[in-house]
C-alpha cells in the first residue's frame, strides 16, 4: 500500500489488499489492465481480516495489516471463498497472526483442507444468517453458492452497511485508487471491465446470481466491496442494475460474426454477413478469432442477440482456433441467443456442421441451415450471406425490443 493511497471504507475498516499491476493472464483470462486482490481489515473490540491475497503477495498483506494493528490483535480471518487468488496467502498469514481463527462455512473448510494443510488451523464454522459480534460492529454471513464456487459467501457489516461481496461485482482492474468515485480511469472502462469479469467468470451461474441479487436487495448497502478491482460507493445501484441485465444475458440489437479463415473464402462470407447485418439501430461486429482473444469474445457475446459462426473445413472439422472459441463459449453458455453456422470447404464438408453442433449444445436457436460454399464464395453465395446477415439483424432488433 502506498502512503498516498486512501484505503479507508469507514472508521476502522480498511482495504489491506494487493494491486497486481503486471498480471496479464489470470488462469487464461486476459487481464490487460491488471487486477487487485482485495482484503479488508475491520478493527473493533475484536479485529477481523476479510479474505487474503494470492500466495506471492502474502508479505504485502501482512505489512498492510501491521500498519494498522499489532499482528497478535487479529482475532478472525473471514474466508469468503477458497479459490487460491484469495486464499493462497492464508498459510503465511495464519502463521503471522498467532491468535487468528478462520471463519468460514462448512464447504469452505473442506475446500481449504484440500488446498492446504489446515490441521493446525482454528476454525469457527458459520452458515447463512449467522452473525459474529466484533464489539460495536456485527458481521453477518450471506451464502452465495456458485458465485463463484460452491462454498462462496459474502460478509455484511450490519452497522456500516458494507457488503464484502467476494467475486461478485468485481473487475480485473489495477488502479492507484480504491473507490469508484475517485478512480482515475473513466467510469465506462470500469463498467466494461465489470462486464468482462461477469462474462468470463460468472456468466454460467445466472440462477445463483439471481439468488444472490435477491439477497442483496434485502440489504441496505452503502458500500459494495468486491474481492477484485475498485470498491463501489457512488455507483452501487448502477452495478446492481447491470447485474440484473447480465444475469439473463440481456440482448442488445447486436449481431456478432465470429470466424476463422484459411484462404479468405470464409472471411469473405463473414464480411458479407456483417455487411448485411449493418442496418440502422443494429451493432454488427466482425470477430476474427485469430485477431483477438477469448476473453474479449465472451465479453462481446453476453449482450449479442444473434451470432454467425464461421469456419472453413480443415480435416473434416473446423479450424482449431475456432474450436477453442466454440469450446470456451459453450462452457460459458450465453443464454437465449440465435444464429447460424457458415464456412467454405474443399473436397469434403465438416467445418460448419461441427460449429453448428456447438451452437446446438448451447441451446441456441438455429435460424437456418449452415451456409456453405465450395472453395470460393461467388456472387450468389455472397448475396446469400448478405441476406442471411440482414435477417439476423432484423431478429436482433426484435430480440432487443422483447
Ligand atoms: Fe477471485 Fe473465484 O476467485
Amino acid at each position: 500500500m502506498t502512503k498516498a493511497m486512501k484505503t479507508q471504507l469507514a472508521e476502522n475498516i480498511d482495504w489491506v489488499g494487493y494491486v497486481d499491476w503486471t498480471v496479464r493472464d489470470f488462469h487464461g483470462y486476459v487481464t490487460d489492465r491488471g487486477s487487485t486482490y482485495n482484503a479488508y481489515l475491520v478493527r473493533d473490540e475484536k479485529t477481523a481480516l476479510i479474505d487474503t491475497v494470492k500466495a506471492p503477495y502474502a508479505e504485502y498483506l501482512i505489512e498492510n495489516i501491521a500498519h494498522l494493528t499489532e499482528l497478535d490483535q487479529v482475532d478472525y480471518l473471514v474466508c469468503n471463498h477458497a479459490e487460491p487468488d484469495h486464499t493462497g496467502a492464508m498459510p503465511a498469514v495464519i502463521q503471522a497472526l498467532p491468535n487468528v481463527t478462520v471463519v468460514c462455512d462448512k464447504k469452505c473448510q473442506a475446500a481449504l483442507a484440500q488446498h492446504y494443510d489446515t490441521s493446525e488451523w482454528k476454525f469457527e464454522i458459520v452458515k447463512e444468517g449467522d452473525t459474529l459480534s466484533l464489539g460495536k460492529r456485527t458481521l453477518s454471513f450471506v451464502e452465495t453458492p456458485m458465485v463463484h464456487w460452491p462454498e462462496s459467501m459474502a460478509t455484511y457489516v450490519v452497522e456500516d452497511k458494507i457488503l464484502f461481496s467476494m467475486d461478485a461485482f468485481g473487475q480485473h482492474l489495477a488502479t492507484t485508487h480504491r473507490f469508484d468515485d475517485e478512480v482515475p480511469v473513466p467510469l465506462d472502462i470500469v463498467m466494461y471491465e465489470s462486464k468482462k469479469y461477469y462474462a468470463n467468470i460468472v456468466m454460467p451461474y445466472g440462477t445463483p446470481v439471481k439468488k444472490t441479487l435477491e439477497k442483496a436487495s434485502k440489504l441496505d448497502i452503502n458500500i459494495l466491496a468486491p474481492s477484485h478491482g475498485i470498491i463501489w460507493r457512488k455507483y452501487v445501484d448502477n452495478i446492481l442494475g447491470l447485474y440484473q441485465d447480465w444475469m439473463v444475458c440481456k440482448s442488445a440489437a447486436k449481431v456478432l460474426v465470429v470466424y476463422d479463415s484459411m484462404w479468405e473464402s470464409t472471411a469473405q462470407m463473414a464480411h458479407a454477413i456483417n455487411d448485411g447485418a449493418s442496418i440502422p439501430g443494429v451493432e454488427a461486429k466482425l470477430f476474427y478469432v485469430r485477431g483477438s482473444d477469448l476473453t474479449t469474445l465472451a465479453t462481446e457475446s453476453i449482450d449479442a442477440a444473434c451470432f454467425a459462426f464461421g469456419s472453413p473445413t480443415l480435416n473434416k472439422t473446423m479450424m482449431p482456433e475456432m474450436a477453442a472459441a466454440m469450446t470456451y463459449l459453450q462452457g460459458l453458455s450465453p443464454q437465449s441467443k440465435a444464429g447460424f453456422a457458415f464456412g467454405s470447404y474443399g473436397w469434403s464438408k465438416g467445418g460448419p456442421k461441427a460449429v453448428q453442433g456447438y451452437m446446438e449444445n448451447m441451446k441456441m436457436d438455429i435460424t437456418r441451415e449452415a451456409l456453405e460454399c465450395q472453395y470460393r464464395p461467388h456472387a450468389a453465395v455472397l448475396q446469400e450471406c448478405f441476406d442471411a446477415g440482414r435477417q439476423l439483424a432484423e431478429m436482433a432488433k426484435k430480440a432487443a425490443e422483447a
Side-chain angles (χ1 to χ4, degrees), residues 87-199:
T87 61
M90 276 182 80
V93 168
I94 287 171
Q95 204 162 29
L97 308 178
N99 297 317
V100 83
T101 294
V102 177
V103 178
C104 64
D105 66 26
K106 213 171 172 178
K107 282 180 283 184
C108 188
Q109 183 188 33
L112 289 171
Q114 291 188 307
H115 283 81
Y116 313 106
D117 177 3
T118 61
S119 54
E120 303 289 317
W121 296 6
K122 289 177 279 180
F123 279 96
E124 183 165 336
I125 301 304
V126 294
K127 61 182 184 317
E128 172 80 23
D130 282 356
T131 57
L132 177 66
S133 175
L134 301 180
K136 294 188 189 69
R137 287 182 162 110
T138 314
L139 302 183
S140 171
F141 303 104
V142 183
E143 292 193 1
T144 59
M146 298 320 297
V147 185
H148 138 244
W149 276 13
E151 84 306 343
S152 297
M153 67 175 194
T155 298
Y156 182 61
V157 188
V158 176
E159 294 75 11
D160 299 273
K161 300 174 182 171
I162 298 172
L163 183 66
F164 298 112
S165 58
M166 192 20 59
D167 282 339
F169 314 113
Q171 338 85 48
H172 285 308
L173 178 61
T175 66
T176 48
H177 294 62
R178 303 273 49 84
F179 297 96
D180 58 356
D181 52 358
E182 58 182 26
V183 68
V185 294
L187 185 64
D188 59 354
I189 289 180
V190 180
M191 291 309 188
Y192 176 77
E193 291 297 335
S194 301
K195 178 182 174 186
K196 187 195 282 186
Y197 188 89
Y198 187 95

Side-chain angles (χ1 to χ4, degrees), residues 26 81 83 85-86 148-149 166-167 172 197 201 227-228:
F26 184 93
H81 179 23
E83 193 164 8
D85 51 329
H86 309 295
H148 138 244
W149 276 13
M166 192 20 59
D167 282 339
H172 285 308
Y197 188 89
I201 303 283
S227 55
H228 297 288

